[in-house]
Amino acid sequence: PHNTLREVRVIGRVELRGRIEAGSATSIRGDEGFPLIFGRNVSIGKGVVFHSLKHSSVKIGDGVRIGDFSVVHGPIEIGEGAIIGRGCILLRAEIEGGRVVGDDSIIIGG
């Protein structure tokens, strides 16, 4: 599959299962918690940060879109077709498939 990852930092254990596009200054860090798994046809805005706590993972489903300058911190799972708005902070959460999370939302699970 063709991936567009220009000016993107990818570190550690990261699994790309299909096409992924990510904007500049995005950081995908699978160095502490892992794996970070990205499904097919994932679209990531610019300046997005992915990271995970030790002994946890990040799972991004097929067709997910994540807006610019969001922070996705695991443990987290974002279901297929979900749309995450711009400037969101997600931590220890499970976002259902097809769900829309509005710009500047903060979701912190238990």
Side-chain angles (χ1 to χ4, degrees), residues 54-86:
K54 200 172 204 177
H55 306 297
S56 66
S57 63
V58 171
K59 296 178 183 174
I60 309 297
D62 294 345
V64 169
R65 295 188 324 203
I66 300 173
D68 296 342
F69 308 111
S70 291
V71 176
V72 179
H73 203 285
I76 191 162
E77 186 166 344
I78 301 176
E80 183 174 325
I83 299 172
I84 309 302
R86 178 184 170 94

Side-chain angles (χ1 to χ4, degrees), residues 20-79:
I20 181 174
E21 291 183 330
S24 63
T26 288
S27 177
I28 303 172
R29 294 186 48 202
D31 57 341
E32 182 178 349
F34 51 80
L36 277 66
I37 300 170
F38 292 82
R40 293 170 175 73
N41 300 315
V42 173
S43 177
I44 302 165
K46 63 184 174 184
V48 177
V49 175
F50 293 89
H51 192 248
S52 191
L53 297 170
K54 200 172 204 177
H55 306 297
S56 66
S57 63
V58 171
K59 296 178 183 174
I60 309 297
D62 294 345
V64 169
R65 295 188 324 203
I66 300 173
D68 296 342
F69 308 111
S70 291
V71 176
V72 179
H73 203 285
I76 191 162
E77 186 166 344
I78 301 176

